[in-house]
Each structure stands twice: as structure tokens, then as C-alpha cells.
Amino acid sequence: IEILEALNRRDLEDAAARLHPEYRASWPDTDLDGHDAFAREIAMLTGLPDTHFAIEHATALVDGRVLVEATVSGTHTGELALPYGVAVEATGRAVSLPFLFVMSFVDGLLHRERLAFDHLGLLAQVGAVPAA
């Protein structure tokens, strides 16, 4: 969870130091190795430079993973690169949506991560698709 706090502070060096050398992330559209996953995170921060991860619950699972429920909010002031190759030019709109992270750690470092969020909901909030 410290990695999300490092991202909230925009301390990318600290965030990167918390990743296991074999880190992998599963996004809604693909699995990414550590380099590509971190690059995607930076792309998200470029589109929403004031992104904030508000952690609501963190639950230890019986298999050692951690389930983190958070609300991610920010203002869409830069190009937003999203899963499935979608890119949305800045709209200035505020966004806020729930995210789920399922994380596993090895030697205190984030080893595997699965992210889940409402992709269409995010697109609607930035005005790229009509709201349902």
C-alpha cells in the first residue's frame, strides 16, 4: 500500500523501489511486465496529474495477497492513455471512480498486481462516451 502513497506524493523513485524485479501487472486489457506497467502508470499520471488514491479498505486474503479498495480521483488536464489503446485529449473534467487492486508481495516488494476499474465509466466521466 506504500506504493500508492508514494504515487500520491509523486515520488516515482520511491514507487519504483517498491517493485520486485519480477513485478508484473494485470490491467483490464493485458498483462504487463514491470517496465511496461510502470510506463502505463506514468501515462495515467500524465493525463490526470493530480491523481489521488484514497485507500478505503485493505484486506489480507487467506493466500497472502492483499485486496485494496480505493477511490481514484483527479482532473483530466493532459492526454489520458487508457487500456485498449484509447487516448483522450484533455477535457479539464474531474474524475472519481472505484479501483480494486489485488497485490502479492515477495520480500516486502510488490510482485504481482491486478487492477480492476470501470473503463467505460472513466471514459464517460472525461466525456469521451455518453454517460449511461
mmCIF file of all heavy atoms in Angstrom, residues 49-97:
data_model
loop_
_atom_site.group_PDB
_atom_site.id
_atom_site.type_symbol
_atom_site.label_atom_id
_atom_site.label_comp_id
_atom_site.label_asym_id
_atom_site.label_seq_id
_atom_site.Cartn_x
_atom_site.Cartn_y
_atom_site.Cartn_z
ATOM 1 N N PRO A 49 -2.746 14.504 -13.771
ATOM 2 C CA PRO A 49 -1.551 14.792 -12.976
ATOM 3 C C PRO A 49 -1.804 14.983 -11.480
ATOM 4 O O PRO A 49 -0.877 14.854 -10.691
ATOM 5 C CB PRO A 49 -0.984 16.062 -13.604
ATOM 6 C CG PRO A 49 -2.084 16.641 -14.402
ATOM 7 C CD PRO A 49 -2.997 15.516 -14.790
ATOM 8 N N ASP A 50 -3.027 15.246 -11.096
ATOM 9 C CA ASP A 50 -3.338 15.379 -9.666
ATOM 10 C C ASP A 50 -4.019 14.119 -9.126
ATOM 11 O O ASP A 50 -4.689 14.151 -8.097
ATOM 12 C CB ASP A 50 -4.203 16.612 -9.405
ATOM 13 C CG ASP A 50 -5.554 16.563 -10.121
ATOM 14 O OD1 ASP A 50 -5.728 15.743 -11.060
ATOM 15 O OD2 ASP A 50 -6.432 17.357 -9.765
ATOM 16 N N THR A 51 -3.803 12.999 -9.788
ATOM 17 C CA THR A 51 -4.388 11.732 -9.352
ATOM 18 C C THR A 51 -4.123 11.495 -7.879
ATOM 19 O O THR A 51 -3.013 11.700 -7.387
ATOM 20 C CB THR A 51 -3.796 10.551 -10.156
ATOM 21 O OG1 THR A 51 -4.144 10.691 -11.523
ATOM 22 C CG2 THR A 51 -4.303 9.213 -9.651
ATOM 23 N N HIS A 52 -5.169 11.028 -7.198
ATOM 24 C CA HIS A 52 -5.033 10.688 -5.788
ATOM 25 C C HIS A 52 -5.703 9.339 -5.550
ATOM 26 O O HIS A 52 -6.834 9.109 -5.990
ATOM 27 C CB HIS A 52 -5.684 11.751 -4.896
ATOM 28 C CG HIS A 52 -5.569 11.430 -3.453
ATOM 29 N ND1 HIS A 52 -4.405 11.620 -2.744
ATOM 30 C CD2 HIS A 52 -6.458 10.892 -2.587
ATOM 31 C CE1 HIS A 52 -4.592 11.220 -1.494
ATOM 32 N NE2 HIS A 52 -5.826 10.772 -1.370
ATOM 33 N N PHE A 53 -4.986 8.459 -4.873
ATOM 34 C CA PHE A 53 -5.508 7.159 -4.492
ATOM 35 C C PHE A 53 -5.974 7.248 -3.040
ATOM 36 O O PHE A 53 -5.142 7.339 -2.133
ATOM 37 C CB PHE A 53 -4.433 6.076 -4.615
ATOM 38 C CG PHE A 53 -3.915 5.880 -6.006
ATOM 39 C CD1 PHE A 53 -2.834 6.615 -6.471
ATOM 40 C CD2 PHE A 53 -4.503 4.961 -6.861
ATOM 41 C CE1 PHE A 53 -2.345 6.438 -7.753
ATOM 42 C CE2 PHE A 53 -4.027 4.774 -8.147
ATOM 43 C CZ PHE A 53 -2.944 5.516 -8.598
ATOM 44 N N ALA A 54 -7.278 7.270 -2.814
ATOM 45 C CA ALA A 54 -7.827 7.285 -1.457
ATOM 46 C C ALA A 54 -8.138 5.842 -1.073
ATOM 47 O O ALA A 54 -9.102 5.247 -1.578
ATOM 48 C CB ALA A 54 -9.086 8.142 -1.388
ATOM 49 N N ILE A 55 -7.320 5.284 -0.223
ATOM 50 C CA ILE A 55 -7.473 3.888 0.173
ATOM 51 C C ILE A 55 -8.600 3.791 1.197
ATOM 52 O O ILE A 55 -8.566 4.446 2.233
ATOM 53 C CB ILE A 55 -6.150 3.338 0.744
ATOM 54 C CG1 ILE A 55 -5.060 3.421 -0.336
ATOM 55 C CG2 ILE A 55 -6.336 1.907 1.246
ATOM 56 C CD1 ILE A 55 -3.667 3.196 0.183
ATOM 57 N N GLU A 56 -9.596 2.977 0.858
ATOM 58 C CA GLU A 56 -10.754 2.819 1.734
ATOM 59 C C GLU A 56 -10.657 1.573 2.594
ATOM 60 O O GLU A 56 -11.034 1.592 3.758
ATOM 61 C CB GLU A 56 -12.027 2.816 0.895
ATOM 62 C CG GLU A 56 -12.235 4.167 0.227
ATOM 63 C CD GLU A 56 -13.146 4.118 -0.983
ATOM 64 O OE1 GLU A 56 -13.697 3.046 -1.292
ATOM 65 O OE2 GLU A 56 -13.291 5.162 -1.624
ATOM 66 N N HIS A 57 -10.196 0.481 2.007
ATOM 67 C CA HIS A 57 -10.055 -0.777 2.737
ATOM 68 C C HIS A 57 -8.845 -1.517 2.182
ATOM 69 O O HIS A 57 -8.601 -1.495 0.980
ATOM 70 C CB HIS A 57 -11.281 -1.684 2.567
ATOM 71 C CG HIS A 57 -12.550 -1.088 3.062
ATOM 72 N ND1 HIS A 57 -12.873 -1.014 4.388
ATOM 73 C CD2 HIS A 57 -13.587 -0.535 2.400
ATOM 74 C CE1 HIS A 57 -14.046 -0.427 4.527
ATOM 75 N NE2 HIS A 57 -14.491 -0.125 3.331
ATOM 76 N N ALA A 58 -8.145 -2.187 3.063
ATOM 77 C CA ALA A 58 -7.087 -3.119 2.674
ATOM 78 C C ALA A 58 -7.341 -4.391 3.467
ATOM 79 O O ALA A 58 -7.460 -4.346 4.696
ATOM 80 C CB ALA A 58 -5.714 -2.556 2.966
ATOM 81 N N THR A 59 -7.465 -5.495 2.759
ATOM 82 C CA THR A 59 -7.835 -6.756 3.381
ATOM 83 C C THR A 59 -6.798 -7.815 3.032
ATOM 84 O O THR A 59 -6.507 -8.029 1.847
ATOM 85 C CB THR A 59 -9.214 -7.229 2.871
ATOM 86 O OG1 THR A 59 -10.166 -6.182 3.084
ATOM 87 C CG2 THR A 59 -9.658 -8.486 3.579
ATOM 88 N N ALA A 60 -6.252 -8.468 4.040
ATOM 89 C CA ALA A 60 -5.349 -9.590 3.807
ATOM 90 C C ALA A 60 -6.179 -10.810 3.433
ATOM 91 O O ALA A 60 -7.147 -11.146 4.136
ATOM 92 C CB ALA A 60 -4.515 -9.861 5.046
ATOM 93 N N LEU A 61 -5.838 -11.448 2.348
ATOM 94 C CA LEU A 61 -6.537 -12.649 1.901
ATOM 95 C C LEU A 61 -5.826 -13.886 2.433
ATOM 96 O O LEU A 61 -4.632 -13.853 2.742
ATOM 97 C CB LEU A 61 -6.621 -12.667 0.377
ATOM 98 C CG LEU A 61 -7.280 -11.427 -0.261
ATOM 99 C CD1 LEU A 61 -7.231 -11.522 -1.779
ATOM 100 C CD2 LEU A 61 -8.712 -11.272 0.234
ATOM 101 N N VAL A 62 -6.532 -14.979 2.505
ATOM 102 C CA VAL A 62 -6.005 -16.199 3.095
ATOM 103 C C VAL A 62 -4.758 -16.700 2.343
ATOM 104 O O VAL A 62 -3.888 -17.328 2.938
ATOM 105 C CB VAL A 62 -7.102 -17.290 3.185
ATOM 106 C CG1 VAL A 62 -7.461 -17.820 1.804
ATOM 107 C CG2 VAL A 62 -6.678 -18.408 4.110
ATOM 108 N N ASP A 63 -4.641 -16.396 1.051
ATOM 109 C CA ASP A 63 -3.490 -16.873 0.275
ATOM 110 C C ASP A 63 -2.302 -15.908 0.321
ATOM 111 O O ASP A 63 -1.332 -16.071 -0.403
ATOM 112 C CB ASP A 63 -3.897 -17.154 -1.168
ATOM 113 C CG ASP A 63 -4.369 -15.921 -1.922
ATOM 114 O OD1 ASP A 63 -4.348 -14.808 -1.352
ATOM 115 O OD2 ASP A 63 -4.772 -16.070 -3.093
ATOM 116 N N GLY A 64 -2.375 -14.878 1.158
ATOM 117 C CA GLY A 64 -1.262 -13.952 1.307
ATOM 118 C C GLY A 64 -1.371 -12.698 0.464
ATOM 119 O O GLY A 64 -0.629 -11.741 0.675
ATOM 120 N N ARG A 65 -2.301 -12.686 -0.481
ATOM 121 C CA ARG A 65 -2.483 -11.467 -1.278
ATOM 122 C C ARG A 65 -3.200 -10.420 -0.448
ATOM 123 O O ARG A 65 -3.772 -10.713 0.595
ATOM 124 C CB ARG A 65 -3.282 -11.766 -2.548
ATOM 125 C CG ARG A 65 -2.557 -12.705 -3.509
ATOM 126 C CD ARG A 65 -3.386 -13.019 -4.735
ATOM 127 N NE ARG A 65 -4.653 -13.646 -4.324
ATOM 128 C CZ ARG A 65 -5.736 -13.713 -5.102
ATOM 129 N NH1 ARG A 65 -5.726 -13.193 -6.312
ATOM 130 N NH2 ARG A 65 -6.825 -14.306 -4.674
ATOM 131 N N VAL A 66 -3.166 -9.184 -0.938
ATOM 132 C CA VAL A 66 -3.845 -8.073 -0.283
ATOM 133 C C VAL A 66 -4.823 -7.472 -1.284
ATOM 134 O O VAL A 66 -4.448 -7.179 -2.431
ATOM 135 C CB VAL A 66 -2.839 -6.999 0.189
ATOM 136 C CG1 VAL A 66 -3.552 -5.802 0.786
ATOM 137 C CG2 VAL A 66 -1.855 -7.601 1.184
ATOM 138 N N LEU A 67 -6.067 -7.309 -0.851
ATOM 139 C CA LEU A 67 -7.089 -6.651 -1.663
ATOM 140 C C LEU A 67 -7.203 -5.213 -1.183
ATOM 141 O O LEU A 67 -7.465 -4.967 -0.003
ATOM 142 C CB LEU A 67 -8.438 -7.357 -1.517
ATOM 143 C CG LEU A 67 -9.637 -6.661 -2.151
ATOM 144 C CD1 LEU A 67 -9.485 -6.566 -3.659
ATOM 145 C CD2 LEU A 67 -10.922 -7.379 -1.779
ATOM 146 N N VAL A 68 -6.969 -4.267 -2.087
ATOM 147 C CA VAL A 68 -7.059 -2.850 -1.759
ATOM 148 C C VAL A 68 -8.221 -2.253 -2.532
ATOM 149 O O VAL A 68 -8.276 -2.367 -3.765
ATOM 150 C CB VAL A 68 -5.752 -2.098 -2.103
ATOM 151 C CG1 VAL A 68 -5.890 -0.611 -1.800
ATOM 152 C CG2 VAL A 68 -4.579 -2.693 -1.345
ATOM 153 N N GLU A 69 -9.144 -1.650 -1.798
ATOM 154 C CA GLU A 69 -10.251 -0.921 -2.396
ATOM 155 C C GLU A 69 -9.940 0.560 -2.245
ATOM 156 O O GLU A 69 -9.654 1.027 -1.145
ATOM 157 C CB GLU A 69 -11.553 -1.247 -1.693
ATOM 158 C CG GLU A 69 -11.922 -2.721 -1.761
ATOM 159 C CD GLU A 69 -13.106 -3.033 -0.872
ATOM 160 O OE1 GLU A 69 -14.224 -2.578 -1.186
ATOM 161 O OE2 GLU A 69 -12.891 -3.723 0.139
ATOM 162 N N ALA A 70 -9.969 1.282 -3.365
ATOM 163 C CA ALA A 70 -9.619 2.699 -3.334
ATOM 164 C C ALA A 70 -10.527 3.473 -4.276
ATOM 165 O O ALA A 70 -11.091 2.919 -5.221
ATOM 166 C CB ALA A 70 -8.159 2.895 -3.746
ATOM 167 N N THR A 71 -10.636 4.755 -4.014
ATOM 168 C CA THR A 71 -11.256 5.668 -4.962
ATOM 169 C C THR A 71 -10.134 6.476 -5.578
ATOM 170 O O THR A 71 -9.302 7.052 -4.859
ATOM 171 C CB THR A 71 -12.277 6.595 -4.276
ATOM 172 O OG1 THR A 71 -13.334 5.787 -3.755
ATOM 173 C CG2 THR A 71 -12.856 7.603 -5.264
ATOM 174 N N VAL A 72 -10.097 6.477 -6.891
ATOM 175 C CA VAL A 72 -9.075 7.224 -7.608
ATOM 176 C C VAL A 72 -9.738 8.461 -8.191
ATOM 177 O O VAL A 72 -10.770 8.370 -8.863
ATOM 178 C CB VAL A 72 -8.432 6.364 -8.715
ATOM 179 C CG1 VAL A 72 -7.382 7.157 -9.478
ATOM 180 C CG2 VAL A 72 -7.815 5.108 -8.112
ATOM 181 N N SER A 73 -9.156 9.605 -7.901
ATOM 182 C CA SER A 73 -9.724 10.852 -8.390
ATOM 183 C C SER A 73 -8.624 11.712 -8.995
ATOM 184 O O SER A 73 -7.441 11.534 -8.710
ATOM 185 C CB SER A 73 -10.423 11.605 -7.255
ATOM 186 O OG SER A 73 -9.501 11.884 -6.223
ATOM 187 N N GLY A 74 -9.031 12.634 -9.837
ATOM 188 C CA GLY A 74 -8.095 13.556 -10.457
ATOM 189 C C GLY A 74 -8.804 14.434 -11.459
ATOM 190 O O GLY A 74 -10.017 14.329 -11.657
ATOM 191 N N THR A 75 -8.029 15.302 -12.092
ATOM 192 C CA THR A 75 -8.556 16.215 -13.100
ATOM 193 C C THR A 75 -7.874 15.912 -14.426
ATOM 194 O O THR A 75 -6.643 15.846 -14.496
ATOM 195 C CB THR A 75 -8.299 17.685 -12.697
ATOM 196 O OG1 THR A 75 -8.755 17.867 -11.352
ATOM 197 C CG2 THR A 75 -9.040 18.632 -13.622
ATOM 198 N N HIS A 76 -8.658 15.744 -15.458
ATOM 199 C CA HIS A 76 -8.165 15.343 -16.778
ATOM 200 C C HIS A 76 -7.599 16.570 -17.516
ATOM 201 O O HIS A 76 -8.272 17.181 -18.332
ATOM 202 C CB HIS A 76 -9.310 14.686 -17.555
ATOM 203 C CG HIS A 76 -8.924 14.193 -18.894
ATOM 204 N ND1 HIS A 76 -9.820 14.171 -19.941
ATOM 205 C CD2 HIS A 76 -7.769 13.709 -19.369
ATOM 206 C CE1 HIS A 76 -9.212 13.692 -21.011
ATOM 207 N NE2 HIS A 76 -7.965 13.398 -20.681
ATOM 208 N N THR A 77 -6.338 16.881 -17.218
ATOM 209 C CA THR A 77 -5.705 18.064 -17.820
ATOM 210 C C THR A 77 -4.613 17.729 -18.821
ATOM 211 O O THR A 77 -4.001 18.635 -19.379
ATOM 212 C CB THR A 77 -5.127 18.975 -16.721
ATOM 213 O OG1 THR A 77 -4.184 18.230 -15.950
ATOM 214 C CG2 THR A 77 -6.235 19.532 -15.831
ATOM 215 N N GLY A 78 -4.355 16.460 -19.057
ATOM 216 C CA GLY A 78 -3.370 16.042 -20.048
ATOM 217 C C GLY A 78 -3.930 14.900 -20.863
ATOM 218 O O GLY A 78 -5.003 14.370 -20.558
ATOM 219 N N GLU A 79 -3.210 14.511 -21.920
ATOM 220 C CA GLU A 79 -3.674 13.369 -22.709
ATOM 221 C C GLU A 79 -3.707 12.133 -21.817
ATOM 222 O O GLU A 79 -2.741 11.833 -21.128
ATOM 223 C CB GLU A 79 -2.775 13.104 -23.908
ATOM 224 C CG GLU A 79 -3.304 11.927 -24.737
ATOM 225 C CD GLU A 79 -2.449 11.607 -25.941
ATOM 226 O OE1 GLU A 79 -1.416 10.944 -25.750
ATOM 227 O OE2 GLU A 79 -2.818 12.035 -27.055
ATOM 228 N N LEU A 80 -4.834 11.446 -21.842
ATOM 229 C CA LEU A 80 -5.041 10.281 -20.997
ATOM 230 C C LEU A 80 -4.939 9.027 -21.854
ATOM 231 O O LEU A 80 -5.771 8.797 -22.731
ATOM 232 C CB LEU A 80 -6.417 10.373 -20.324
ATOM 233 C CG LEU A 80 -6.774 9.294 -19.320
ATOM 234 C CD1 LEU A 80 -5.765 9.247 -18.179
ATOM 235 C CD2 LEU A 80 -8.175 9.543 -18.775
ATOM 236 N N ALA A 81 -3.896 8.237 -21.615
ATOM 237 C CA ALA A 81 -3.693 6.979 -22.323
ATOM 238 C C ALA A 81 -4.304 5.865 -21.481
ATOM 239 O O ALA A 81 -3.893 5.638 -20.342
ATOM 240 C CB ALA A 81 -2.212 6.728 -22.545
ATOM 241 N N LEU A 82 -5.301 5.200 -22.023
ATOM 242 C CA LEU A 82 -6.069 4.186 -21.302
ATOM 243 C C LEU A 82 -5.866 2.802 -21.918
ATOM 244 O O LEU A 82 -5.323 2.678 -23.021
ATOM 245 C CB LEU A 82 -7.559 4.552 -21.340
ATOM 246 C CG LEU A 82 -7.937 5.844 -20.629
ATOM 247 C CD1 LEU A 82 -9.374 6.223 -20.941
ATOM 248 C CD2 LEU A 82 -7.728 5.679 -19.137
ATOM 249 N N PRO A 83 -6.321 1.764 -21.215
ATOM 250 C CA PRO A 83 -6.276 0.424 -21.798
ATOM 251 C C PRO A 83 -6.996 0.370 -23.153
ATOM 252 O O PRO A 83 -7.790 1.237 -23.484
ATOM 253 C CB PRO A 83 -7.008 -0.426 -20.752
ATOM 254 C CG PRO A 83 -6.775 0.290 -19.470
ATOM 255 C CD PRO A 83 -6.826 1.753 -19.850
ATOM 256 N N TYR A 84 -6.694 -0.661 -23.892
ATOM 257 C CA TYR A 84 -7.262 -0.939 -25.220
ATOM 258 C C TYR A 84 -6.820 0.096 -26.255
ATOM 259 O O TYR A 84 -7.498 0.294 -27.253
ATOM 260 C CB TYR A 84 -8.796 -1.030 -25.172
ATOM 261 C CG TYR A 84 -9.313 -2.015 -24.161
ATOM 262 C CD1 TYR A 84 -9.825 -1.587 -22.946
ATOM 263 C CD2 TYR A 84 -9.250 -3.387 -24.417
ATOM 264 C CE1 TYR A 84 -10.275 -2.501 -22.006
ATOM 265 C CE2 TYR A 84 -9.702 -4.299 -23.482
ATOM 266 C CZ TYR A 84 -10.212 -3.856 -22.281
ATOM 267 O OH TYR A 84 -10.658 -4.753 -21.344
ATOM 268 N N GLY A 85 -5.718 0.804 -26.008
ATOM 269 C CA GLY A 85 -5.189 1.761 -26.972
ATOM 270 C C GLY A 85 -5.984 3.041 -27.084
ATOM 271 O O GLY A 85 -5.829 3.791 -28.038
ATOM 272 N N VAL A 86 -6.831 3.338 -26.110
ATOM 273 C CA VAL A 86 -7.655 4.546 -26.134
ATOM 274 C C VAL A 86 -6.845 5.708 -25.576
ATOM 275 O O VAL A 86 -6.220 5.591 -24.521
ATOM 276 C CB VAL A 86 -8.944 4.345 -25.299
ATOM 277 C CG1 VAL A 86 -9.730 5.635 -25.194
ATOM 278 C CG2 VAL A 86 -9.780 3.229 -25.894
ATOM 279 N N ALA A 87 -6.844 6.827 -26.279
ATOM 280 C CA ALA A 87 -6.210 8.056 -25.797
ATOM 281 C C ALA A 87 -7.231 9.181 -25.912
ATOM 282 O O ALA A 87 -7.911 9.312 -26.929
ATOM 283 C CB ALA A 87 -4.964 8.378 -26.608
ATOM 284 N N VAL A 88 -7.341 9.979 -24.842
ATOM 285 C CA VAL A 88 -8.332 11.046 -24.798
ATOM 286 C C VAL A 88 -7.610 12.355 -24.484
ATOM 287 O O VAL A 88 -6.896 12.448 -23.486
ATOM 288 C CB VAL A 88 -9.414 10.766 -23.725
ATOM 289 C CG1 VAL A 88 -10.472 11.856 -23.730
ATOM 290 C CG2 VAL A 88 -10.051 9.397 -23.943
ATOM 291 N N GLU A 89 -7.803 13.340 -25.359
ATOM 292 C CA GLU A 89 -7.215 14.656 -25.123
ATOM 293 C C GLU A 89 -7.831 15.283 -23.876
ATOM 294 O O GLU A 89 -8.961 14.983 -23.503
ATOM 295 C CB GLU A 89 -7.434 15.563 -26.338
ATOM 296 C CG GLU A 89 -6.664 15.131 -27.573
ATOM 297 C CD GLU A 89 -5.158 15.114 -27.365
ATOM 298 O OE1 GLU A 89 -4.612 16.033 -26.697
ATOM 299 O OE2 GLU A 89 -4.510 14.165 -27.847
ATOM 300 N N ALA A 90 -7.107 16.188 -23.250
ATOM 301 C CA ALA A 90 -7.537 16.831 -22.010
ATOM 302 C C ALA A 90 -8.906 17.488 -22.171
ATOM 303 O O ALA A 90 -9.186 18.132 -23.178
ATOM 304 C CB ALA A 90 -6.515 17.876 -21.589
ATOM 305 N N THR A 91 -9.737 17.290 -21.149
ATOM 306 C CA THR A 91 -11.065 17.909 -21.133
ATOM 307 C C THR A 91 -11.258 18.836 -19.934
ATOM 308 O O THR A 91 -12.245 19.573 -19.892
ATOM 309 C CB THR A 91 -12.177 16.841 -21.080
ATOM 310 O OG1 THR A 91 -12.042 16.101 -19.858
ATOM 311 C CG2 THR A 91 -12.105 15.910 -22.288
ATOM 312 N N GLY A 92 -10.361 18.760 -18.960
ATOM 313 C CA GLY A 92 -10.497 19.567 -17.758
ATOM 314 C C GLY A 92 -11.533 19.034 -16.773
ATOM 315 O O GLY A 92 -11.793 19.656 -15.746
ATOM 316 N N ARG A 93 -12.115 17.884 -17.066
ATOM 317 C CA ARG A 93 -13.156 17.318 -16.201
ATOM 318 C C ARG A 93 -12.557 16.573 -15.014
ATOM 319 O O ARG A 93 -11.505 15.960 -15.115
ATOM 320 C CB ARG A 93 -14.027 16.347 -16.984
ATOM 321 C CG ARG A 93 -14.867 17.010 -18.030
ATOM 322 C CD ARG A 93 -15.731 15.996 -18.712
ATOM 323 N NE ARG A 93 -16.577 16.614 -19.713
ATOM 324 C CZ ARG A 93 -17.723 16.122 -20.098
ATOM 325 N NH1 ARG A 93 -18.181 15.005 -19.573
ATOM 326 N NH2 ARG A 93 -18.430 16.726 -21.028
ATOM 327 N N ALA A 94 -13.267 16.627 -13.899
ATOM 328 C CA ALA A 94 -12.892 15.867 -12.717
ATOM 329 C C ALA A 94 -13.374 14.433 -12.874
ATOM 330 O O ALA A 94 -14.437 14.195 -13.452
ATOM 331 C CB ALA A 94 -13.505 16.491 -11.472
ATOM 332 N N VAL A 95 -12.592 13.490 -12.376
ATOM 333 C CA VAL A 95 -12.981 12.091 -12.388
ATOM 334 C C VAL A 95 -12.843 11.523 -10.980
ATOM 335 O O VAL A 95 -12.005 11.971 -10.191
ATOM 336 C CB VAL A 95 -12.154 11.244 -13.384
ATOM 337 C CG1 VAL A 95 -12.290 11.765 -14.798
ATOM 338 C CG2 VAL A 95 -10.702 11.208 -12.990
ATOM 339 N N SER A 96 -13.666 10.548 -10.689
ATOM 340 C CA SER A 96 -13.605 9.831 -9.424
ATOM 341 C C SER A 96 -14.261 8.482 -9.636
ATOM 342 O O SER A 96 -15.427 8.419 -10.036
ATOM 343 C CB SER A 96 -14.332 10.617 -8.324
ATOM 344 O OG SER A 96 -14.307 9.901 -7.113
ATOM 345 N N LEU A 97 -13.518 7.412 -9.415
ATOM 346 C CA LEU A 97 -14.098 6.095 -9.599
ATOM 347 C C LEU A 97 -13.404 5.071 -8.731
ATOM 348 O O LEU A 97 -12.232 5.236 -8.373
ATOM 349 C CB LEU A 97 -14.097 5.670 -11.060
ATOM 350 C CG LEU A 97 -12.780 5.372 -11.731
ATOM 351 C CD1 LEU A 97 -13.015 4.389 -12.861
ATOM 352 C CD2 LEU A 97 -12.200 6.636 -12.311
#
